[in-house]
Amino acid sequence: MKRYILLLAALVLLLPVEGCAKKKDKRHIIGFYNVENLFDTVHDQGKNDYEYLPDGANEWTADKYAVKLQNMARVIADMHKDNGMWHTVLGLAEVENRHVLEDLVKEPAIANANYKIVHIEGPDRRGIDCALLYNPARFKFIESAAIPYDFNTKIPITTYNKKEQEDFRTRDVLMVHGTIDGEHFAFYVCHFPSRRGDKGQDLRARAAEIVYNHARQMQQKYAGIKCVVMGDMNDNPADASLSQHLHGRRNLSEVKSGDFFNPFWEMLDDGIGSLYYRGDPNIFDCILVSNSLVNGKGFRIGKMGKYYGVVYSKPYMTQQSGQYKGLPFRTFSNGKFIKGYSDHYPTFIEITR
């Protein structure tokens, strides 16, 4: 009898664990992080990476590189701890090459995630690319593609003349197609053209148009596919690139066929930022989801507290004193290595079913 009671008690204790496991299987964290110039210490042929060499302007040594890797891994590990799971998919911007990604995923703090890497070398003159890390136990990779920037558009491009357009080099958009629990997803990892003296709106509008057109093609090819566009857009949610050319909407109720929902619009309106300029909050680090993740069957975007997204920050990721107190704790300040993290906070959303 005593043995029977002990066995029954053990089974009762297991029930919540199984329930939690099933619930966990229905949740996935999708994130993005601009890791601010993740360069190794070796020159890559054809790249303008000279300031990130031991004899370059930043005196970028193996010790500094090791600190940078540890810092990025710490942030990812803390997101895992707080979410109760590793990211299923994590997009990255400002990575130099596959080598730095291989070094990153081997960092002890995140090695247990067993992240796989998707990276395609791009044409950016600074030598930075977008990349994607994914959990192979939860995301089944099918294909990837680099979507190049071009000027084949009806949008008036006034920032550059024809010769400058021919010479223009920027980051490719990384598209990664795969499945989560049998449902098709297309992830677009972006780093739109930079603001040059608060200019370049037309360039970013074209970048958004390129992504949107490709997503529509994928939706035509794979009925019901979930499209997620993430990245450093160098624009805020209400700017034309995201609200018009990418068809981003502020509210779930506004999302119709062909639209995207941008959960970070409301957050910015409430004064939350993923980066700051002259003390003002911005959210360039957006994650937008297609109508199929709002009104479709299967997985949908889930609410995470008050909002449908998170700008993730911790005190150690934030400058605690001085001129830039309260802002993201970046790697360099006034040319000096200050052992910081990034000038952007990471963002993420949750999908559930």
Side-chain angles (χ1 to χ4, degrees), residues 19-305:
C20 290
K22 289 178 181 178
K23 186 176 180 181
K24 181 177 178 181
D25 288 342
K26 295 179 181 179
R27 296 176 54 232
H28 295 265
I29 302 298
I30 310 298
F32 172 77
Y33 196 10
N34 181 328
V35 292
E36 192 197 11
N37 295 317
L38 182 55
F39 281 80
D40 60 24
T41 62
V42 180
H43 174 57
D44 283 7
Q45 187 67 33
K47 289 191 176 184
N48 185 14
D49 59 358
Y50 296 103
E51 63 182 329
Y52 283 93
L53 298 176
D55 59 354
N58 291 326
E59 299 178 347
W60 195 240
T61 62
D63 289 342
K64 291 178 180 178
Y65 176 53
V67 169
K68 179 72 175 180
L69 290 171
Q70 290 164 12
N71 285 353
M72 298 300 93
R74 180 184 181 184
V75 174
I76 297 169
D78 275 355
M79 286 190 281
H80 159 255
K81 180 180 178 181
D82 290 349
N83 286 319
M85 64 178 67
W86 296 107
H87 290 81
T88 296
V89 165
L90 176 62
L92 302 175
E94 297 199 13
V95 299
E96 182 185 16
N97 50 37
R98 187 179 182 88
H99 172 243
V100 300
L101 295 164
E102 291 172 344
D103 285 347
L104 176 61
V105 299
K106 289 187 291 189
E107 279 292 310
I110 64 172
N112 288 341
N114 296 314
Y115 283 128
K116 299 298 182 185
I117 298 166
V118 184
H119 170 260
I120 300 174
E121 201 69 50
D124 183 77
R125 293 197 188 282
R126 282 175 57 198
I128 54 174
D129 301 318
C130 295
L132 185 133
L133 306 181
Y134 69 91
N135 180 342
R138 312 202 76 194
F139 175 74
K140 305 305 179 186
F141 174 86
I142 295 176
E143 62 180 338
S144 63
I147 306 171
Y149 191 97
D150 64 49
F151 291 89
N152 301 325
T153 177
K154 294 180 180 179
I155 298 172
I157 302 291
T158 59
T159 301
Y160 293 121
N161 61 37
K162 188 173 182 180
K163 177 64 168 63
E164 289 171 327
Q165 290 179 18
E166 292 173 353
D167 294 338
F168 185 64
R169 300 288 182 273
T170 191
R171 284 76 59 174
D172 291 337
V173 173
L174 177 65
M175 189 284 295
V176 181
H177 172 211
T179 61
I180 298 177
D181 289 349
E183 295 187 30
H184 282 269
F185 280 77
F187 294 99
Y188 294 85
V189 189
C190 314
H191 189 179
F192 284 0
S194 300
R195 295 189 169 211
R196 301 173 183 275
D198 210 24
K199 297 180 180 179
Q201 294 92 336
D202 48 0
L203 298 178
R204 293 186 293 279
R206 173 55 185 156
E209 182 185 49
I210 290 170
V211 175
Y212 184 78
N213 289 343
H214 195 283
R216 293 297 284 165
Q217 292 172 8
M218 291 295 285
Q219 289 167 341
Q220 292 169 9
K221 187 174 181 180
Y222 301 95
I225 190 172
K226 274 74 172 172
C227 294
V228 180
V229 179
M230 65 176 77
D232 178 355
M233 309 304 188
N234 274 304
D235 268 338
N236 282 311
D239 290 331
S241 61
L242 301 184
S243 63
Q244 296 178 31
H245 300 284
L246 200 51
H247 297 247
R249 302 291 175 253
R250 184 185 186 278
N251 302 307
L252 285 175
S253 59
E254 300 173 316
V255 180
K256 309 300 181 186
S257 177
D259 290 339
F260 282 82
F261 170 53
N262 190 338
F264 297 91
W265 193 328
E266 181 184 4
M267 298 174 69
L268 181 61
D269 286 349
D270 287 348
I272 298 170
S274 65
L275 74 159
Y276 293 78
Y277 180 67
R278 295 178 178 174
D280 294 328
N282 296 274
I283 300 185
F284 292 173
D285 307 273
C286 292
I287 305 173
L288 299 90
V289 301
S290 60
N291 177 55
S292 51
L293 273 163
V294 175
N295 298 311
K297 297 179 180 179
F299 282 110
R300 292 191 181 191
I301 187 169
K303 207 163 191 179
M304 306 188 76

Side-chain angles (χ1 to χ4, degrees), residues 5-15:
I5 292 171
L6 288 172
L7 180 60
L8 183 61
L11 288 172
V12 169
L13 287 172
L14 284 172
L15 285 175

